[in-house]
Amino acid sequence: MHECGTAEGVAALYPLGHFDPASRKAQILPKKKAPGVDFFGVDKYYYIVRSDLGCYMRSANFHQGNDLEVFTLHNSCRGGLHYLAHEDDYFYIIKGNEYRRVKNLNKDLDAEVSTLHEKCHGGDHYLSSFGHFYIIFQSKGFYRRVKNLNSAAEAVDYTLHPSCKNGLYYWGLKDYFYFLKPVDKWGVQYYRTTNLNKNWKADTFSVHADVVNFLPGGLGITHGIAFGRWEAIKTIYDDSNSPGKKKITRMVGYTKQKMSSIESNWKVGTRMFLEVGGLSGLISKYQFSLSTEVGGSQVNTDQEEWSEAAEVEETVSVSLNPKEKLYVWQYQLGLGKEAVLFCRSMKLTKTPKPPTEIPLPPSKPPKNTMSKIVPKNKAPGVDFCGVDTYYYIVRPDLGCYMRSTNFNEGKDLEVFSLHNSCQGGEHYLAHQDDLFYIIKGDHYRRVSNMNKDWDSVVYTLHPNCRGGDHYLSAFGKFYIIFQGRGIYRRVSNMNTDEDAIEYTLHPNCKDGLYYWGIKDYYYFVKPCDEWGVQYFKCTDFHQSSDAVTYSFHADVVNFLPGGLAITKGLSFGRWEALKTISNDSNTPVTWNKKITRKVGYTKQKMSSIEHNWKISMSASYQPGLLTELAAKYQFSLSADYGGKHVNTEQEDWNEATETEESISVTLQPHEKMYIWQYQLGLGNEAVLFCRSMKFTNDSTPPEDIPFPPPKY
């Protein structure tokens, strides 16, 4: 029996359903086909927002590719339909008929939400220049200039000059208008003018390759059209009619190190929490997901191996007739002429004609998936409180609490163990006397330190102070909120009900998930909406006086019940096809194979959540334990809060490692076998590689969930 690396006379490698790259042209996706992507400018910088990737690029010059830096997009700034910046040094994010104005897209500073005036609704593009806002109604061939998006003051309409009608994206700086031109024989270019109606002082500039790489569809231009093909990696033939075993060595994974060169001229902010090559991997996934008309392959590659490509070896035992050949194929995705992603899928055929099946599911438009923070009435014991300059979030379910000086900026985040005697509370609050109060049933425990349980005293709650939905302290008083009745009770002492007065809750203050207070303010966590997780501050719950809304910093959201689904993505549980074995020949084939799979939890990677927390727990605390507990909790939640409603306590929560398992299977002619592993994850990334494994004869994943429901 003989073998060689590739087959002589192998047919063309572009099967049905895929196109020869030479017959297609790459394109930059226009704004209407790339939700959340936009351009804008302010002062001396240009920006490209990739909300789909959770980041944005800043540059001093798109033509020269100067000062390219990539920043994380704050959760509350993601999912915008349009992005622009104004000369007031604010950024504007438009969603529906509202816009959010912020000082910083990375930190969501000084956020304020306003309503778009009806004359400003429905624009195809929004930009700012010459001290005004411009709404371009591209399909109608005109634009509207206003002084204010909320009032539409000084509104004037102008016709778009024919040379300015076909921009893919429009943006402005102080004294210029810009738009990205459709790709032509000169490549990717942008157009500059001082007047979109008269087309004065027009110039055209090319976009630097390092900038093109960041654009939706850009890799197809800089690296070549995407392809997907079955590559003949081995030919086995027998001229002795004797059976034999053969080892097949192939690459599986992503050429991460090589493709990370895309990032070499970008300064990627540390807050991106991506390893080198991680951002280029996201961009490559996006490119492969695009339609073939714009240089993609229209496939979903989330289930493929995106770690650095490495060689794997497996053994096949075949019996061939004299002069008979067996062709071994692997599916590969690439850009231009170079393979980038070596897929798991492999097939055996008796002819040199490549298989026609595309072994990847088609790409689908991203779903609008919004998760929610678990409210207090569904998260026993979880609570907020505040005193003096500190805010606290208590997680008795995790046995700890977080302290911060600023939830919006994520400042001074420190996590402490909750003393045993302070655990199991139904409500937690803090008073201006620097004492903490833990309510259980009809009693409360007062301590000076929840970590040490110092100076503890237990009191009885006055009957009039019992049964509240929320408890807090502010302005030297205690407040009991009876949310279902729409009222709150203010007292000087919860044991005696002294100075009791009841007030109605203002409509703006009725729907809080959690309530707390400090010396001079009341706060509550707002229900999640299109702007993310926010909290409300005011000086009066009855009149909603001096109201201000702030977003939570992502490092704080991670500590909230249900927060991981907001920062990382919704939980998923699925059977992952580890291996597909296919025999397309007319001869039985026996595989003697070692199945390599990961088992365990991506502890090291997930522990990055803790990097901006100062952990002041017990000496026995192991890094990553808190995020492990938070992940277990997230998976236990219902789908309403981004969970999978499963109990994972019996799984292996040690650092994920590769394990090998030997199998021997005989496939009859034209038979297939699929090997599956159950995985749990967040967003698109697997987090927990479970022990459960199944074998099936078809490509439909198993339907059973190999976990019990959570115990509450």
Side-chain angles (χ1 to χ4, degrees), residues 573-577 676-678 692-694 701-704 706:
R574 63 190 176 210
W575 288 99
E576 174 76 23
W676 307 87
Q677 179 191 30
Y678 200 77
S692 297
M693 194 160 67
K694 282 184 177 288
E703 295 183 355
D704 62 307

Side-chain angles (χ1 to χ4, degrees), residues 572 600-603 606 631 635 653 656 680-682 685-689:
F572 66 80
Y601 167 59
T602 57
K603 181 176 288 189
M606 284 293 289
F635 293 138
W653 282 88
L680 286 165
L682 297 166
E685 191 165 353
V687 168
L688 185 64
F689 298 86

Side-chain angles (χ1 to χ4, degrees), residues 255-322:
T255 57
K256 181 180 287 188
Q257 187 173 357
K258 189 168 188 177
M259 287 298 290
S260 68
S261 63
I262 292 171
E263 305 173 17
S264 59
N265 293 318
W266 301 347
K267 181 181 177 183
V268 180
T270 56
R271 300 288 305 171
M272 286 293 294
F273 292 128
L274 287 173
E275 57 192 16
V276 174
L279 187 52
S280 65
L282 293 177
I283 294 172
S284 297
K285 279 186 185 181
Y286 181 89
Q287 187 68 41
F288 292 136
S289 76
L290 297 178
S291 71
T292 54
E293 287 81 3
V294 292
S297 287
Q298 206 163 344
V299 292
N300 184 325
T301 58
D302 284 340
Q303 309 309 311
E304 285 300 317
E305 179 60 68
W306 281 89
S307 300
E308 183 66 57
E311 285 191 345
V312 298
E313 190 177 87
E314 48 198 272
T315 302
V316 59
S317 178
V318 295
S319 178
L320 296 175
N321 295 322

Side-chain angles (χ1 to χ4, degrees), residues 374 561-562 632-639 641-646 710 712:
V374 184
K632 286 180 182 179
Y633 178 87
Q634 187 66 54
F635 293 138
S636 76
L637 295 175
S638 69
Y641 302 104
K644 284 300 297 180
H645 198 61
V646 293
Y712 293 120

Side-chain angles (χ1 to χ4, degrees), residues 134 262 350 525 542 638 679:
Y134 295 80
I262 292 171
K350 295 296 279 291
V525 179
H542 178 58
S638 69
Q679 299 177 4

Side-chain angles (χ1 to χ4, degrees), residues 11 116 124-125 140 152 239 330 347 365-366 437 466 524 527 546 662 701 709:
L116 275 174
D124 299 304
H125 305 269
K140 298 178 180 178
D239 54 10
Q330 179 190 30
K347 280 182 174 289
Y437 294 71
R466 295 173 187 173
F524 65 85
D546 306 313
S662 297

